[in-house]
Amino acid sequence: MSDQILGVIPARYASTRFPGKPLALIGTKPMIQWTYTHASKSKSFHRLVVATDDKRIHDIVLGFGGESVLTSPDHPTGTDRIIEVAETFPNYGIIVNIQGDEPGMETDLIDGVVNLKTKHRNWEMTTAAVPFSPTEDPKDPNKVKVVFDRNARANYFSRSPIPASFKGDAKYHRHLGIYAYERDFLMSYNQLPPSDWETFESLEQLRALQNGGTIGVFLAEKANLGVDSPADLEVVKREFQEKGLI
């Protein structure tokens, strides 16, 4: 069981809601460069690569000095893309998936997810969550909710508000787009029986849960906004300006 950790940033050009999202500019740099730069500040990784099926993204990453792997354009999910990259790098026991649309991902958050995984090698996966802020709407289906037990193990992920509350006093936690996988589990992921939970919610991680896998949840105090839409991008630009990054 290798202790080497590989960080992978999947970046797809085609997107229904936001085509070309990884190359959208924040200041003078494309989003994928911001994501790569912030992820590379983590001391958890022994290697960090971008996984993309688009030569434009591939060339941009190489141009700013990052490492990129061109993958098949036929993968139905981001996990399939991660699996292809993991096959290319067989000596890594833990593979970490950092979404390419998380340009402000905090180092502490990455390290928290990785540390939880290294502490629990018997858990198939770990991920992260953050409490909803007062300005966020739990009814927003683009903000995925997660509930987890007192041992930090996920019970369920949903686009609907969970736990259900009609009094407005429930404490909601927003799921964040980062996963650390045990290598053997990742490589067998495509062989897991189909999950109706995954189909209903359109959330890939539910395949692991419905098939009895354990997903640990690192609870962060705060997290920067991921980019799902052009409107999110404008919010991120303002946040980066306030921080003096652009």
Side-chain angles (χ1 to χ4, degrees):
M1 189 187 301
S2 171
D3 292 328
Q4 295 280 297
I5 298 169
L6 174 68
V8 184
I9 304 172
R12 192 168 61 96
Y13 189 90
S15 170
T16 304
R17 284 177 293 183
F18 195 166
K21 181 165 58 172
L23 300 184
L25 291 179
I26 301 174
T28 59
K29 300 175 184 176
M31 188 187 309
I32 190 63
Q33 184 170 355
W34 286 107
T35 303
Y36 192 97
T37 299
H38 283 129
S40 66
K41 292 178 180 178
S42 169
K43 293 181 169 56
S44 296
F45 302 129
H46 297 94
R47 192 167 191 168
L48 179 67
V49 302
V50 170
T52 184
D53 60 356
D54 191 276
K55 193 172 185 303
R56 289 165 291 188
I57 297 172
H58 179 71
D59 290 343
I60 285 285
V61 174
L62 297 180
F64 65 68
E67 186 172 1
S68 178
V69 178
L70 274 172
T71 62
S72 168
D74 300 324
H75 292 309
T77 69
T79 305
D80 293 292
R81 199 175 313 284
I82 298 290
I83 290 170
E84 181 183 343
V85 174
E87 289 172 344
T88 307
F89 301 100
N91 297 322
Y92 295 85
I94 294 174
I95 293 90
V96 184
N97 176 351
I98 306 128
Q99 300 299 314
D101 55 9
E102 298 278 352
M105 178 76 73
E106 295 89 345
T107 303
D108 288 349
L109 195 153
I110 295 172
D111 292 340
V113 171
V114 175
N115 289 340
L116 188 62
K117 184 70 204 70
T118 56
K119 182 180 177 181
H120 297 279
R121 294 300 296 267
N122 59 315
W123 290 2
E124 285 82 4
M125 299 167 58
T126 55
T127 188
V130 66
F132 265 70
S133 73
T135 61
E136 290 179 310
D137 182 5
K139 296 184 182 68
D140 183 348
N142 294 317
K143 291 181 168 56
V144 176
K145 278 65 67 175
V146 57
V147 287
F148 45 90
D149 66 20
R150 291 170 180 165
N151 294 311
R153 295 174 300 195
N155 300 114
Y156 194 67
F157 298 83
S158 182
R159 296 186 181 278
S160 301
I162 51 171
S165 173
F166 302 100
K167 299 179 181 179
D169 56 357
K171 188 171 185 178
Y172 297 102
H173 290 95
R174 176 165 59 90
H175 178 234
L176 304 173
I178 178 171
Y179 301 96
Y181 298 91
E182 194 65 34
R183 180 185 184 83
D184 290 345
F185 175 73
L186 175 66
M187 303 313 287
S188 65
Y189 200 86
N190 288 341
Q191 280 71 57
L192 291 175
S195 161
D196 50 3
W197 293 353
E198 176 186 9
T199 302
F200 297 152
E201 298 275 10
S202 190
L203 296 173
E204 238 183 300
Q205 65 270 30
L206 287 172
R207 190 186 318 179
L209 277 189
Q210 193 165 18
N211 283 287
T214 298
I215 304 178
V217 180
F218 170 73
L219 184 59
E221 293 182 4
K222 61 183 181 63
N224 289 316
L225 181 68
V227 178
D228 289 319
S229 67
D232 290 339
L233 180 64
E234 295 308 311
V235 174
V236 169
K237 286 179 179 178
R238 289 195 294 272
E239 289 179 348
F240 276 42
Q241 286 174 336
E242 290 170 2
K243 294 176 181 177
L245 296 173
I246 59 175

